[in-house]
Amino acid sequence: MTAHLGTTPPERRTWRRRHYLMCRPDHFDVVYSINPWMDPKKPVDTSLAVLQWEQLRDLYLSLGHTVDLIPPLPGLPDMVYAANGATVVDGRVLGADFRNHQRRPEGPAYLAWFRENGFTELREPLHVNEGEGDFLVTDSFVLAGYGFRSDARSHLEAQSFFGRPVISLELVDPRYYHLDTALAVLDGDEIMYHPQAFAPASREVLGRLFPDALEVSAADAAVFSLNAVSDGLNVVIPEAAGDLPVHLRERGFRPIGMDMTELLKGGGSVKCCTLEIRH
Ligand code: ARG
């Protein structure tokens, strides 16, 4: 982490235009609790959630990315968390199958969107998997979380469908119930993560595969700083992040903080609202 202190940060040349799918939180609310962040007794300001979401979408557009929208469905207050809707690698779409009944109808809705938008290699999932909530793609691997939501059997399913090595990682802290709340891909095979969110053996795996990873503090993890979206240069993070922006700058990234407080009431932030379509 201190390797770049006092020297010029490395230049980032691997920025790429990205293609994202998002879902406007018109029906966002917290009426049930399926993760420790959700408290149905706390009031939710849906129009503020829409405003924060629009700022995130506008930021992606201003950075040169493409943003497609899936129509939000009434009665699905968590549908804004598009990352959970599917996993797309090399144009292949692995559908999601949600653990909790409240979100189950989102799986077919997202898969239908891909079918209607010209994707032909689609797979209806055999095992519970919550899309990019638990599948994160680096250049060499698909990193896959289990322990709270996705069924570990979905990892083999993803490996055969995508033809990429899948690395299973066990999550142990209920606050970090999806992999994308504890780990983010910054660029290529460069990642950042919060070690304490993982079982000891998974920590060891991460240490071996990613010896240069940025390890993120408990304080930064607790404000959802790891729920980040990177295009290889710009790293979009919740604005509540503490030290993380400094460490990202040392590595040559450009951190951009966004106010996502309303969407955090559902247990999601920047990454949760963003599904990446990889062609
Ligand atoms: N309320 C949603 C749930 O618990 C939040 C999902 C957040 N999404 C994510 N990719 N981590 O399922």
Side-chain angles (χ1 to χ4, degrees):
M1 238 153 50
T2 49
H4 309 302
L5 276 183
T7 63
T8 316
E11 233 184 286
R12 292 279 160 191
R13 296 172 195 281
T14 49
W15 175 89
R16 265 191 303 113
R17 266 178 221 288
R18 307 289 172 135
H19 185 181
Y20 298 129
L21 179 62
M22 297 179 75
C23 181
R24 181 190 294 273
D26 290 341
H27 308 291
F28 176 65
D29 204 348
V30 178
V31 292
Y32 51 80
S33 178
I34 54 173
N35 69 57
W37 305 84
M38 299 174 84
D39 179 358
K41 291 194 293 289
K42 261 198 216 156
V44 167
D45 183 343
T46 304
S47 49
L48 181 57
V50 170
L51 192 79
Q52 293 174 348
W53 176 93
E54 281 176 344
Q55 285 167 349
L56 180 63
R57 180 208 51 196
D58 292 350
L59 172 70
Y60 290 144
L61 295 174
S62 75
L63 293 173
H65 305 309
T66 300
V67 178
D68 276 328
L69 300 179
I70 179 172
L73 296 173
L76 295 175
D78 273 337
M79 194 167 169
V80 57
Y81 303 115
N84 302 131
T87 307
V88 189
V89 182
D90 301 327
R92 290 183 206 155
V93 184
L94 174 61
D97 180 10
F98 286 81
R99 169 139 334 250
N100 299 288
H101 69 88
Q102 294 95 333
R103 298 196 67 185
R104 222 155 272 151
E106 293 182 40
Y110 275 91
L111 210 50
W113 185 91
F114 282 100
R115 199 172 287 120
E116 285 154 19
N117 284 275
F119 290 79
T120 50
E121 289 188 78
L122 304 156
R123 180 181 169 96
E124 307 225 3
L126 270 183
H127 301 287
V128 167
N129 88 73
E130 298 201 350
E132 284 201 324
D134 278 322
F135 287 128
L136 294 173
V137 182
T138 76
D139 277 359
S140 306
F141 309 106
V142 176
L143 304 179
Y146 72 99
F148 296 101
R149 297 293 182 86
S150 298
D151 187 318
R153 287 173 296 179
S154 72
H155 299 179
L156 273 185
E157 190 181 358
Q159 178 162 279
S160 344
F161 182 58
F162 295 130
R164 295 207 184 191
V166 172
I167 307 295
S168 289
L169 300 166
E170 185 181 4
L171 296 163
V172 292
D173 183 332
R175 288 174 301 165
Y176 310 119
Y177 57 94
H178 274 143
L179 182 64
D180 73 354
T181 65
L183 186 152
V185 179
L186 293 168
D187 186 26
D189 279 322
E190 189 169 355
I191 65 165
M192 58 176 178
Y193 66 102
H194 176 52
Q196 285 72 39
F198 296 89
S202 297
R203 258 183 244 174
E204 227 177 290
V205 170
L206 286 168
R208 278 172 203 270
L209 290 179
F210 305 101
D212 299 326
L214 173 56
E215 296 194 5
V216 171
S217 69
D220 263 329
V223 291
F224 253 52
S225 299
L226 284 157
N227 202 241
V229 170
S230 174
D231 61 19
L233 172 63
N234 305 288
V235 184
V236 188
I237 52 176
E239 75 181 359
D243 295 342
L244 182 59
V246 175
H247 300 308
L248 289 171
R249 267 186 224 107
E250 283 166 7
R251 287 173 178 245
F253 292 104
R254 275 195 219 147
I256 303 175
M258 299 299 287
D259 182 3
M260 299 294 289
T261 45
E262 214 50 32
L263 289 152
L264 188 56
K265 292 180 181 169
S269 189
V270 174
K271 171 59 198 170
C272 296
C273 295
T274 314
L275 173 58
E276 183 165 352
I277 301 178
R278 300 178 190 80
H279 294 275

